[in-house]
Amino acid sequence: MSELRFTEDHEWLRVEADGSVTVGITAYAQNALGDVVFVQLPELQQYEKGSEASTVESVKAASGVYMPLTGDVVEVNGQLESSPELVNEDPMGEGWFFRFNPADMSEVTALLDQDAYDRLIKANDDA
């Protein structure tokens, strides 16, 4: 499943071939934040669903990046430490934050698909 899933907090998730899940913030989120100047990456440990795993700071604000599902963080994108601007340049690619192994893989499919996320963005823009 290379299909993207999304959270209402504007994180994207992609299941990798090895079963890990890559997480980043969406283009919508990085656009709202403005120029990213710092990313605090998570520790390689278990996080509970909904807990703050990472922080992203921009010229406008600081924002948490939340663990979309309970699981163990197994890799972080070290490039973001020296090049946080990757989040702005390629938020859904090179600007990924971390990879984790979910405790329950079936929960991934319960997250928003592209159509549901697009509706969420439209509702936010209309509000």
Side-chain angles (χ1 to χ4, degrees):
M1 176 180 124
S2 62
E3 176 183 342
L4 291 175
R5 293 291 176 164
F6 302 88
T7 71
E8 291 184 4
D9 293 320
H10 305 287
E11 289 108 10
W12 60 263
L13 294 83
R14 181 180 61 237
V15 177
E16 304 298 341
D18 65 1
S20 67
V21 177
T22 300
V23 177
I25 63 171
T26 64
Y28 180 87
Q30 71 79 27
N31 187 51
L33 282 169
D35 292 336
V36 173
V37 295
F38 176 75
V39 175
Q40 178 184 359
L41 296 167
E43 300 292 322
L44 299 181
Q45 65 182 35
Q46 185 178 62
Y47 289 85
E48 294 297 315
K49 178 180 178 176
S51 64
E52 188 172 308
S54 186
T55 304
V56 59
E57 295 180 16
S58 72
V59 295
K60 292 181 182 178
S63 182
V65 176
Y66 300 96
M67 193 68 174
L69 304 170
T70 297
D72 296 312
V73 173
V74 295
E75 184 179 355
V76 297
N77 185 354
Q79 292 183 82
L80 297 182
E81 292 175 342
S82 59
S83 301
E85 68 276 3
L86 288 173
V87 175
N88 294 114
E89 294 168 2
D90 191 10
M92 313 266 301
E94 292 298 312
W96 62 276
F97 281 58
F98 59 90
R99 289 194 175 107
F100 76 101
N101 291 329
D104 183 353
M105 182 63 83
S106 68
E107 291 182 339
V108 174
T109 57
L111 297 170
L112 302 174
D113 63 13
Q114 185 71 59
D115 288 340
Y117 184 70
D118 290 345
R119 288 191 300 274
L120 175 71
I121 291 173
K122 184 172 182 345
N124 286 348
D125 287 344
D126 290 346

